[in-house]
């Protein structure tokens, strides 16, 4: 059982590192340029999408720690770590899929 836990923890750590590096890379390279591309010069739509993306970032920035604290209270540390890492990894995949779709 111990080798299994070590292997799962190693995989989750690797997925977390890859996700965080990918997120930082996207922030540095692309940022919110996709919003400008989608709007195609429509200033009203650009303002609306900027407000929407900022609001979404702030809401998830508040909800994520609360949700993970709740999950950690209800489940074991190992299970909550797996859920958190998988969630972060899936969000990164979705983000890159959207970027590839837009560009």
């Amino acid at each position: 059982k111990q080798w299994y836990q070590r292997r799962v923890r190693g995989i989750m750590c690797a997925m977390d590192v890859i996700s965080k590096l990918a997120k930082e890379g996207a922030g540095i390279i692309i940022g919110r340029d996709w919003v400008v591309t989608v709007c195609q010069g429509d200033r009203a739509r650009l303002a609306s999408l900027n407000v929407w993306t900022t609001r979404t970032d702030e809401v998830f920035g508040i909800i994520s720690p609360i949700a993970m604290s709740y999950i950690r209270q209800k489940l074991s540390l190992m299970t909550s770590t797996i859920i958190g890492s998988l969630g972060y990894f899936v969000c990164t995949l979705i983000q890159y899929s959207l970027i590839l779709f837009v560009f």
Side-chain angles (χ1 to χ4, degrees), residues 14-26 88-89 92 96:
M15 288 173 58
D16 193 41
V17 167
I18 291 168
S19 295
K20 288 187 180 192
L21 286 173
K23 183 179 178 189
E24 290 300 317
Y88 196 80
F89 192 73
T92 302
Y96 272 97

Side-chain angles (χ1 to χ4, degrees), residues 2-100:
Q2 195 174 36
W3 65 268
Y4 173 76
Q5 288 181 344
R6 286 183 183 162
R7 186 170 289 170
V8 170
R9 286 180 183 161
I11 291 169
M12 292 301 114
C13 286
M15 288 173 58
D16 193 41
V17 167
I18 291 168
S19 295
K20 288 187 180 192
L21 286 173
K23 183 179 178 189
E24 290 300 317
I28 293 169
I29 295 169
I30 297 171
R32 290 199 178 157
D33 290 343
W34 67 271
V35 175
V36 176
T37 303
V38 168
C39 292
Q40 299 176 348
D42 184 358
R43 290 184 179 264
R45 188 172 180 199
L46 177 62
S48 174
L49 279 175
N50 273 332
V51 168
W52 183 81
T53 54
T54 302
R55 187 176 301 147
T56 304
D57 286 345
E58 290 172 357
V59 167
F60 282 106
I62 293 169
I63 291 175
S64 296
I66 295 170
M68 282 309 297
S69 296
Y70 179 78
I71 289 170
R72 285 191 179 145
Q73 283 180 346
K74 298 296 179 184
L75 303 173
S76 69
L77 180 61
M78 181 73 158
T79 306
S80 63
T81 302
I82 291 170
I83 290 171
S85 294
L86 287 175
Y88 196 80
F89 192 73
V90 168
C91 288
T92 302
L93 290 177
I94 291 170
Q95 179 183 10
Y96 272 97
S97 298
L98 289 172
I99 289 170
L100 289 174

